[in-house]
Amino acid sequence: CDARAHFGLSHREVELLIWLGAGLTRNQIADRMGVSPSTADTFRRRAYVKLGVGTSAAAIAILFSFLSGTQVEPSDLAAAV
């Protein structure tokens, strides 16, 4: 997806963020991705760094807004808090 190129996210990082947005828990995400919970956490941390955020809500907002065509950047979220 273009979000990968735009934000420098890996396919697995995007997949994890989509599962987070669907409300899955850490263990459910790991199970669906076929990895350990620790590896899922690594994907999550790397995605947060690349997006410049510190919470799943912010990461999901950025990814989903991008996918819907309404781009929200990390700086937009910081201004809203």
Side-chain angles (χ1 to χ4, degrees):
C1 89
D2 291 334
R4 288 179 47 209
H6 183 80
F7 297 111
L9 296 168
S10 73
H11 171 75
R12 299 297 264 176
E13 291 160 350
V14 171
E15 180 183 3
L16 176 126
L17 292 174
I18 291 170
W19 289 127
L20 274 177
L24 272 63
T25 67
R26 171 183 179 251
N27 289 337
Q28 290 171 325
I29 292 169
D31 186 54
R32 296 238 178 145
M33 294 181 75
V35 299
S36 72
S38 162
T39 299
D41 281 343
T42 298
F43 292 142
R44 180 187 49 78
R45 283 191 308 272
R46 289 181 181 167
Y48 287 8
V49 168
K50 291 176 183 180
L51 293 172
V53 299
T55 67
S56 58
I60 293 163
I62 290 170
L63 180 64
F64 283 24
S65 69
F66 183 86
L67 294 174
S68 73
T70 309
Q71 281 189 248
V72 173
E73 297 295 334
S75 57
D76 298 331
L77 292 173
V81 187

